[in-house]
Amino acid sequence: MRRIESGKVLSNHKLAEGVYRMDISLPEISSEVQGPGQFISLTVGEGWQMPLRRPMSIASVENGSVSIIYKIFGKGTEWLKDRYEGDVIEAIGPLGNIFSLDNINIKETILIGGGVGVAPILYLHEQLSKDVLDHLLIVGAVTAAEHFLEHTPNAGIYLTTDDGTVGEKGTVMTLLEVLVDKLENPYIIACGPEPMLAAIHNYSTEKNIPGQIAVESYMACGTGLCQGCIIQTSKNGSIEHSYHKRYSLVCCDGPVYNIDAIRI
Ligand SMILES: Cc1cc2nc3c(=O)[nH]c(=O)nc-3n(C[C@H](O)[C@H](O)[C@H](O)COP(=O)(O)OP(=O)(O)OC[C@H]3O[C@@H](n4cnc5c(N)ncnc54)[C@H](O)[C@@H]3O)c2cc1C
Ligand code: FES
């Protein structure tokens, strides 16, 4: 069940260039979290300065606290960066659905996170690692300063950078194609900026590789009221010409979708 809760900031620190992690004490919300993919929506600013809450994926849940990993993007995330231990933040959540691991061979699964989409992927990675479930992880960024993990291919963790300053040079797509070729029945789980998701969507559709994508659409209410977070659905390429069948609300039906269920 979704709740509104005010909680104290337990820590807020820099992980990499422009990337921060905040742990917030939210016992009620954390007790309702079902798993990776879900998000919370945070009130930012004072008064009516920034009326829309900012959606942030849950990066981890532990002992009554919820962690987020956020990238400085604009005024709201700048405000988050300037919160200190003991400051109080209001959140609504947990919102949205989770990645489904039913009928998936985890050993053949490639997790891909890029930019602001790294949080739910790391949450899933953490859970699979706890259960000692082998899988592959690709995390992409523009340059080394934006990364906070280590490039450790022996452990199945691959970093990519556009400028080649750490890990494999290129986008996550370059490495994805290499890893897919080594697997018999690859499965993709991804979250990241829209151009990255569009590239993964095209690739997996073309190669007929199944998977799931967590979409980070622009959002206003986060609770199904404003209809501001729609994504176009697709059923084997044919579109039903009814508003509700043609579009899905990312905040309620998503953010996680089977790759073949949506158009990007
Ligand atoms: C389900 C979901 C999960 C997300 N998880 C994360 C996360 O884990 N880490 C992270 O860094 N970011 C995440 N984002 C994106 C994050 O919400 C935006 O970067 C953030 O709202 C930008 O706010 P701002 O005030 O700094 O930027 P501004 O540009 O000042 O924001 C202006 C408005 O645009 C909206 N907006 C701007 N960019 C985005 C965007 N990319 N997606 C959605 N709304 C946007 C804001 O909510 C705000 O209403 C997520 C978005 C969604 C929808
Ligand atoms: S954000 Fe308002 S309906 Fe989804």
Side-chain angles (χ1 to χ4, degrees):
M1 197 173 77
R2 123 180 22 130
R3 296 178 185 276
I4 296 182
E5 188 177 15
S6 293
K8 281 194 177 161
V9 174
L10 301 173
S11 70
N12 190 22
H13 60 274
K14 187 172 174 174
L15 292 176
E17 202 49 51
V19 184
Y20 290 75
R21 176 188 168 119
M22 182 186 278
D23 303 329
I24 316 165
S25 173
L26 295 168
E28 288 185 17
I29 290 179
S30 66
S31 70
E32 300 286 346
V33 173
Q34 288 163 26
Q38 286 191 302
F39 61 100
I40 54 176
S41 215
L42 298 170
T43 304
V44 292
E46 321 300 337
W48 286 95
Q49 209 182 16
M50 290 181 264
L52 296 179
R53 292 172 189 270
R54 287 351 188 215
M56 290 289 159
S57 297
I58 296 170
S60 143
V61 171
E62 215 177 310
N63 301 328
S65 75
V66 174
S67 306
I68 57 167
I69 295 174
Y70 62 97
K71 204 172 158 79
I72 305 299
F73 190 83
K75 280 188 299 182
T77 40
E78 273 290 343
W79 184 89
L80 283 180
K81 174 180 73 87
D82 295 331
R83 297 309 98 197
Y84 295 94
E85 194 183 328
D87 285 351
V88 173
I89 294 195
E90 191 195 78
I92 182 167
L95 301 169
N97 62 353
I98 59 173
F99 294 110
S100 164
L101 301 181
D102 295 344
N103 306 318
I104 294 175
N105 180 0
I106 300 294
K107 281 193 172 168
E108 302 244 84
T109 299
I110 307 173
L111 309 186
I112 311 167
V116 296
V118 91
I121 294 298
L122 290 186
Y123 185 13
L124 183 57
H125 167 67
E126 180 195 281
Q127 288 212 328
L128 296 176
S129 304
K130 258 189 208 157
D131 295 338
V132 204
L133 291 170
D134 285 346
H135 59 279
L136 300 170
L137 171 68
I138 307 175
V139 180
V142 173
T143 188
E146 294 176 1
H147 273 301
F148 53 91
L149 296 179
E150 260 184 63
H151 182 63
T152 42
N154 288 343
I157 300 172
Y158 299 83
L159 304 188
T160 68
T161 44
D162 295 359
D163 62 6
T165 43
V166 74
E168 306 290 329
K169 187 175 188 318
T171 69
V172 297
M173 295 310 297
T174 322
L175 196 55
L176 176 62
E177 288 174 28
V178 174
L179 296 181
V180 157
D181 281 346
K182 295 181 182 165
L183 301 171
E184 214 169 301
N185 294 300
Y187 192 89
I188 296 171
I189 294 185
C191 184
E194 198 175 311
M196 182 191 111
L197 293 186
I200 290 172
H201 189 276
N202 286 343
Y203 175 75
S204 81
T205 307
E206 200 178 289
K207 299 270 177 188
N208 209 13
I209 300 171
Q212 296 163 54
I213 277 180
V215 186
E216 297 195 336
S217 315
Y218 277 65
M219 252 176 214
C221 71
T223 57
L225 293 172
C226 72
Q227 314 278 298
C229 59
I230 51 163
I231 190 161
Q232 202 170 333
T233 58
S234 146
K235 284 181 187 161
N236 297 326
S238 73
I239 296 171
E240 304 264 357
H241 290 282
S242 132
Y243 172 78
H244 286 290
K245 284 186 180 156
R246 189 169 175 178
Y247 296 102
S248 169
L249 294 180
V250 174
C251 69
C252 297
D253 309 327
V256 180
Y257 292 91
N258 282 330
I259 290 178
D260 63 1
I262 51 168
R263 297 181 165 213
I264 299 185

